[in-house]
Amino acid sequence: MAAPQVLVVDDEPDILDLLGISLRRMGSNCRTAASLREARDRLQEQAYDLCLTDMRLPDGNGIELVRYAQKRFPDMPTAVITAYGSMDAAVEAMKAGAFDFIAKPLEIEELRNVVGQALKMGPENAIDRRSRDVLLGDSGAMRKIRGMIVKLARSQAPVYIQGPSGTGKELVARLIHEKGPRRDGPFVPVNCGAIPSELMESEFFGHKKGSFTGAHADRKGLFQTAAGGTLFLDEVAELPLPMQVKLLRAIQEKRIRPVGASQEVPVDVRILSATHQDLTRRVAQGEFREDLYYRLNVIPLNIPPLRERPEDIPPLIDHLLGKMVGDDPELRPRLTLDAIRALQRHPFDGNVRELENILERALTLADEGVIDVPDLHLPDRGDTAAAGQANGGLAEPEPEEGFELEDYLADLERTAIQRALAKTNGNKTAAAGLLGISFRSLRYKLKKLEME
């Protein structure tokens, strides 16, 4: 296999020498250029697997070269070398299409990480992962998102994924990871709202033995666990302000300090983040740091709610039913045309998660392998009072910030099961009869709702 070809663009002879020696030790062939014009000439002379360019050049800047390379050589990753503390320039370069950035003073380990990740993007290393792409939908919005995922996978830029709960933000993040050069590394998702504030620093950065009560051994944090891969920060809006400061530094410097440690350690992770909240409003209210917002939101990706793309519902139905009953046509039920149209008219405040819950319930209640409108048990939006009585007098939900439809529906099922078990003195077979479901379905729901 031929050695990778790397072009280094910088007007400082010492930097060129350092990079040349380091790259050759990594098994790469290195050519150099000292100006923007010379770099363009080198790119015309032969193909390169990677271009490293300084931001400041005698006749222009590195961002101009990034844009030129993106237009003429889109398959070649370009990384920029920035002066210490020039994160704004690094962010601008990544928005222009740069693969990643390296801060001065140069550190060999960081250079090795960036070069290693970039060289995995070559055509000879590309892997067709279309069989794993389960981001379904025929709408223009979903086709656009699938195209964006392919582009975003070729970068190391932070991506901010925004969309309502249940739209598949984690799936999008996972696909960006799987289609990129970090695919062989770990994908580490973390729900920022689920970590107690007093444990956050230890969870993210790790700790040393004896650093606090209960620290009986050294422990790696999420950043080190995700080394060489991707760290997905879900519900990032839930981070408390003190932790936001520490996260900002970790992203900017690519270094962390475990709790109780005397020195920082380098980290090699890509950051993807998501939330269902409006981060712009949170910034305006002083609840989220503006500087961290702009570091996370280098490239925004918006996932529209399911109600805005009803044409995506049929393929989603087919996929979800396949997950529930498998591919056996004897087991898979058929939805009537009226049932599909009813689902396409439904507002789906819980998005794909709500659709999955509806189908799961219908699968239990439907007869003879056919799901019709009554089996869906969609709420009658024209008669909320009657619906409240049908729910045993439970109050109708008032969706507002923080409302989770999936949790609300689970509470309804839990209440109905508890009442049925109370009426039958705990006899599950009789309770299943009262609920109009099979004993097996009741056992499944008891396990799912953690009632056993």
Side-chain angles (χ1 to χ4, degrees):
M1 182 176 175
Q5 304 294 315
V6 181
L7 175 65
V8 179
V9 186
D10 202 305
D11 63 336
E12 296 184 42
D14 290 346
I15 296 292
L16 290 177
D17 289 344
L18 172 63
L19 288 172
I21 293 170
S22 300
L23 289 166
R24 281 189 284 272
R25 286 178 177 172
M26 295 178 198
S28 299
N29 290 332
C30 179
R31 294 194 69 188
T32 63
S35 67
L36 189 60
R37 179 176 179 179
E38 191 176 351
R40 288 171 176 162
D41 291 341
R42 292 277 188 271
L43 289 171
Q44 294 292 344
E45 291 169 1
Q46 69 173 78
Y48 291 91
D49 299 289
L50 170 64
C51 175
L52 295 174
T53 178
D54 192 23
M55 286 293 289
R56 294 185 178 181
L57 299 171
D59 55 346
N61 63 56
I63 294 178
E64 292 180 60
L65 185 59
V66 169
R67 293 194 177 108
Y68 175 82
Q70 279 283 296
K71 186 175 181 180
R72 300 291 186 89
F73 313 100
D75 291 332
M76 179 192 69
T78 303
V80 296
I81 303 168
T82 65
Y84 178 79
S86 301
M87 264 305 290
D88 289 340
V91 169
E92 185 181 355
M94 287 192 288
K95 285 184 175 180
F99 170 77
D100 205 347
F101 71 94
I102 305 171
K104 292 180 180 178
L106 297 176
E107 293 195 10
I108 299 303
E109 187 61 30
E110 183 179 353
L111 173 65
R112 187 183 301 276
N113 289 336
V114 171
V115 171
Q117 296 293 345
L119 294 179
K120 290 180 182 179
M121 293 172 57
E124 70 278 5
N125 292 308
I127 297 177
D128 184 359
R129 306 180 79 86
R130 287 175 294 180
S131 61
R132 299 185 65 176
D133 187 346
V134 291
L135 190 68
L136 300 173
D138 299 324
S139 64
M142 296 311 290
R143 288 197 296 268
K144 182 178 179 181
I145 289 171
R146 285 194 291 268
M148 281 291 292
I149 286 172
V150 173
K151 292 180 180 178
L152 296 176
R154 294 186 57 79
S155 168
Q156 297 295 285
V159 178
Y160 168 55
I161 306 167
Q162 185 173 17
S165 294
T167 48
K169 297 186 290 295
E170 182 174 336
L171 172 60
V172 170
R174 192 177 294 275
L175 288 172
I176 292 172
H177 167 80
E178 289 182 350
K179 292 176 180 294
R182 293 180 176 268
R183 55 185 167 258
D184 295 326
F187 176 83
V188 180
V190 53
N191 187 328
C192 297
I195 304 174
S197 57
E198 65 272 15
L199 297 178
M200 271 197 173
E201 188 173 358
S202 172
E203 285 293 316
F204 275 95
F205 305 138
H207 62 251
K208 304 298 286 184
K209 179 181 178 180
S211 56
F212 55 85
T213 303
H216 301 302
D218 290 358
R219 183 175 183 273
K220 288 184 178 181
L222 292 166
F223 270 84
Q224 290 168 299
T225 302
T230 301
L231 181 60
F232 173 53
L233 305 175
D234 198 8
E235 296 306 338
V236 71
E238 300 293 336
L239 286 173
L241 286 169
M243 189 62 207
Q244 292 177 29
V245 177
K246 294 180 172 65
L247 179 62
L248 174 63
R249 175 173 172 76
I251 294 173
Q252 290 188 160
E253 307 302 334
K254 298 183 179 180
R255 304 179 73 83
I256 62 167
R257 186 192 298 272
V259 177
S262 58
Q263 294 184 331
E264 293 183 330
V265 294
V267 288
D268 171 33
V269 298
R270 184 182 188 182
I271 301 292
L272 305 178
S273 61
T275 182
H276 73 281
Q277 299 189 43
D278 185 347
L279 266 192
T280 306
R281 183 164 61 85
R282 300 268 294 185
V283 170
Q285 293 171 343
E287 297 171 345
F288 200 86
R289 291 182 62 97
E290 185 175 26
D291 46 8
L292 177 59
Y293 171 70
Y294 285 116
R295 295 297 177 261
L296 296 174
N297 192 28
V298 173
I299 303 177
L301 183 60
N302 186 59
I303 313 297
L306 187 55
R307 64 177 173 271
E308 293 181 7
R309 42 190 178 93
E311 61 268 49
D312 291 342
I313 289 178
L316 283 169
I317 290 172
D318 187 59
H319 172 70
L320 291 171
L321 288 177
K323 280 176 56 180
M324 294 173 192
V325 302
D327 296 326
D328 189 342
E330 297 291 329
L331 298 176
R332 183 177 296 208
R334 177 181 62 84
L335 270 74
T336 66
L337 185 59
D338 287 342
I340 293 174
R341 287 174 175 168
L343 289 171
Q344 288 179 315
R345 292 191 298 268
H346 186 63
F348 281 110
D349 297 317
N351 295 289
V352 179
R353 262 197 227 116
E354 183 186 355
L355 174 60
E356 186 169 9
N357 286 341
I358 289 172
L359 291 175
E360 191 171 36
R361 185 167 59 243
L363 193 62
T364 303
L365 301 176
D367 294 324
E368 299 179 356
V370 177
I371 295 177
D372 205 353
V373 176
D375 302 313
L376 300 174
H377 285 264
L378 300 177
D380 184 356
R381 286 173 285 163
D383 189 3
T384 55
Q389 291 300 317
N391 289 335
L394 293 177
E396 286 298 306
E398 290 292 340
E400 55 187 17
E401 187 170 336
F403 175 76
E404 292 285 351
L405 184 64
E406 183 177 5
D407 293 341
Y408 173 78
L409 293 174
D411 287 341
L412 289 181
E413 282 194 320
R414 189 177 288 108
T415 299
I417 291 172
Q418 287 171 343
R419 289 174 176 171
L421 288 170
K423 284 185 177 182
T424 61
N425 295 317
N427 187 314
K428 293 177 182 177
T429 302
L434 282 180
L435 293 167
I437 60 178
S438 67
F439 175 75
R440 183 177 180 183
S441 295
L442 177 60
R443 286 289 304 274
Y444 170 78
K445 290 182 180 295
L446 289 169
K447 183 177 181 181
K448 179 184 176 184
L449 298 170
E450 298 180 350
M451 295 176 66
E452 283 192 324

